[in-house]
């Protein structure tokens, strides 16, 4: 099916949805029943501690949701609870469709970051409603989105809806920490269970607001790659009363000065191009003109220089490396025998940490400075991984067209903006496995009040219900033809 015919099929589906929605109170009743169910699921999930601690147990949450799905009429054979660790099992459920297209996979993690009662103003493991917000560990990251995905699947099942592709939902362990990562494990050991044409990951909110006003609807379609490097200079040292020019600290800091002055090359990809193309439609005139000017080939240098003064734009258009730690010397009255620094890099997709390490060696341009790859467990390696970050997937029209339409319907005037994230989610596993992955949950959040991983994590009650209805409608449109 070509993009054009697909888009018109989707448009037709939308009209049908709107028409049937307008016919009566039945749809509204189904909507409020679904809201009540989503709320119940969220209440239950929050009350199950799924931290990576002795008190935490992801299997308990997976089993509880499996029970809900069986009660809602899913065939036992379409529900699996499985995993490499007794305490960290994953739930995979399939809503069977006509098989016309390859399945769509929905992913969400069940585990949460630790939260201590004494740090919070409410019990983090009880869902509490207060002044229009729902409080609890995981409300945002990401048991709220999990409950919404489950509620949508159950609603479609109970309506007897036959999607044009199977809808598979995987609720998993060990995204926040731990070594049994659920998505990675499922891909390695049960690929057939979660194979799909593309993936929707609920692990980030989509509607970004400022002072209560929605700015845009963000879909993350690409992620930067994280890498740490250690720079090190050694020297025979000596007595500080007899200084010599060859000093480990000076050698290292001269190299760091060269790094500070260096800028990695400007580079756009399919996702960041579309990001700027769409953002230019809602930005202030000067920024909008600059965004259009950097999209030209070759990009306008002055426009790029102006945009690059903004931290966000600089980080979107380049790999960045910055010194984050410094440590040298062993006594106040001795010449340093050692000087070292940690440099943290956020690498554009399509490039490997080893490629960046070699670039650092060139930029530091002093063989006395060794550059090692510093793994997350603290181990140093002479070379960094040569694996390139996954190339941004195409923005599939079967994903984007219904999203554009439904967003315009729900928030008139709001734009869908595909974006690249400097953070990392389980999307890195599905993307690396070749499954185009798009990350969003239709929740409304002010990024300045994003409390994921922090104290008093919360989501708005109205936003939760709105997101619940939105996601159901989107899933229906996405799989109607
Ligand atoms: Zn998360």
């Amino acid at each position: 099916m070509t993009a054009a015919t697909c888009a018109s099929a989707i448009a037709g589906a939308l009209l049908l949805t709107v028409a049937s929605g307008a016919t009566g109170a039945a749809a509204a009743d189904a909507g409020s029943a679904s809201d009540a169910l989503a709320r119940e699921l969220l209440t239950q999930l929050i009350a199950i501690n799924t931290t990576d601690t002795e008190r935490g147990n992801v299997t308990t949450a997976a089993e509880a949701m499996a029970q809900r799905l069986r009660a809602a009429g899913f065939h036992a054979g379409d529900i699996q609870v499985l995993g490499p660790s007794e305490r960290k099992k994953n739930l995979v459920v399939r809503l069977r469709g006509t098989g016309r297209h390859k399945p769509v996979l929905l992913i969400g993690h069940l585990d949460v970051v630790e939260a201590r009662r004494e740090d919070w103003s409410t019990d983090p493991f009880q869902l509490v409603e207060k002044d229009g917000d729902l409080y609890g560990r995981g409300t945002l990251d990401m048991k709220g989105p999990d409950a919404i995905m489950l509620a949508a699947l159950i609603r479609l099942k109970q309506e007897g809806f036959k999607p044009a592709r199977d809808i598979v939902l995987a609720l998993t362990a060990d995204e926040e920490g731990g070594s049994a990562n659920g998505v990675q494990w499922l891909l390695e050991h049960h690929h057939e269970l979660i194979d799909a044409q593309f993936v929707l990951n609920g692990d980030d909110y989509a509607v970004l607001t400022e002072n209560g006003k929605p700015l845009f609807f963000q879909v993350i379609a690409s992620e930067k790659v994280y890498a740490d490097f250690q720079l090190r200079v050694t020297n025979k040292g000596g007595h500080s009363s007899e200084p010599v020019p060859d000093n480990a600290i000076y050698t290292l800091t001269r190299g760091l000065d060269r790094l500070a002055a260096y800028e990695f090359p400007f580079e756009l990809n399919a996702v960041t191009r579309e990001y700027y193309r769409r953002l230019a439609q809602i930005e202030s005139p000067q920024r909008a003109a600059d965004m259009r000017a950097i999209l030209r080939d070759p990009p306008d240098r002055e426009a790029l220089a102006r945009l690059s003064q903004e931290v966000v734009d600089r980080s979107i258009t380049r790999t960045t490396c910055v010194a984050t730690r410094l440590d040298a010397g062993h006594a106040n009255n001795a010449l340093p025998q050692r000087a070292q620094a940690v440099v943290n890099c956020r690498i554009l997709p399509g490039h490997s940490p080893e490629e960046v390490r070699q670039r650092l060696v060139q930029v530091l341009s002093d063989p006395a400075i060794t550059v090692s790859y510093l793994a997350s467990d603290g181990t140093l390696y002479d070379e960094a991984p040569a694996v390139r970050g996954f190339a941004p997937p195409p923005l599939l029209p079967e994903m984007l067209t219904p999203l554009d339409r439904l967003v315009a319907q729900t928030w008139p005037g709001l734009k869908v903006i595909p974006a690249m994230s400097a953070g990392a989610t389980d999307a890195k596993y599905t993307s690396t496995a070749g499954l185009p992955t798009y990350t969003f949950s239709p929740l409304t959040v002010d990024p300045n009040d994003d409390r994921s991983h922090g104290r008093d994590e919360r989501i708005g009650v109205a936003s939760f219900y709105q997101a619940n209805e939105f996601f159901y409608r989107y899933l229906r449109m996405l799989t109607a033809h």
Side-chain angles (χ1 to χ4, degrees), residues 234-435:
T234 52
N235 188 286
K236 63 180 169 32
H239 202 288
S240 63
S241 64
E242 295 175 340
V244 291
D246 181 18
N247 177 305
I249 292 177
Y250 296 154
T251 303
L252 179 64
T253 53
R254 277 193 294 263
L256 289 173
D257 271 345
R258 288 188 285 275
L259 176 62
Y262 177 74
E263 242 181 2
F264 278 80
F266 165 79
E267 189 179 308
L268 294 175
N269 56 49
V271 171
T272 53
R273 281 191 165 276
E274 190 63 12
Y275 170 81
Y276 280 119
R277 202 182 67 71
R278 289 181 173 227
L279 206 57
Q281 297 169 18
I282 54 174
E283 276 285 354
S284 63
Q286 180 65 64
R287 272 179 63 74
D290 288 345
M291 288 174 180
R292 292 194 179 98
I294 65 163
L295 288 171
R296 283 185 214 121
D297 192 20
D300 184 285
R301 295 204 156 272
E302 281 173 29
L304 182 58
R306 264 193 306 274
L307 270 187
S308 296
Q309 285 167 16
E310 292 287 333
V311 180
V312 176
D313 295 297
R314 206 162 54 229
S315 75
I316 287 170
T317 53
R318 298 168 199 279
T319 290
T320 61
C321 288
V322 62
T324 52
R325 305 185 80 158
L326 194 57
D327 180 26
H330 57 281
N332 290 352
N333 57 1
L335 297 174
Q337 293 173 354
R338 177 191 58 84
Q340 62 193 43
V342 172
V343 168
N344 174 247
C345 298
R346 306 297 173 117
I347 306 169
L348 285 179
H351 298 276
S352 72
E354 176 56 15
E355 191 185 325
V356 170
R357 193 192 69 82
Q358 290 177 13
R359 180 60 65 94
L360 288 175
V361 170
Q362 279 172 15
V363 171
L364 296 164
S365 79
D366 186 339
I369 308 174
T370 59
V371 182
S372 311
Y373 175 70
L374 178 57
S376 55
D377 65 358
T379 312
L380 288 168
Y381 297 92
D382 291 345
E383 286 190 8
V387 183
R388 290 159 198 274
F390 63 86
L395 295 161
L396 297 175
E398 45 275 62
M399 178 281 299
L400 195 55
T401 308
L403 195 60
D404 277 335
R405 286 173 173 275
L406 193 57
V407 166
Q409 208 183 82
T410 312
W411 296 275
L414 208 67
K415 290 260 177 261
V416 177
I417 309 278
M420 179 175 65
S421 164
T425 66
D426 277 343
K428 65 176 173 286
Y429 299 114
T430 48
S431 301
T432 309
L435 308 177

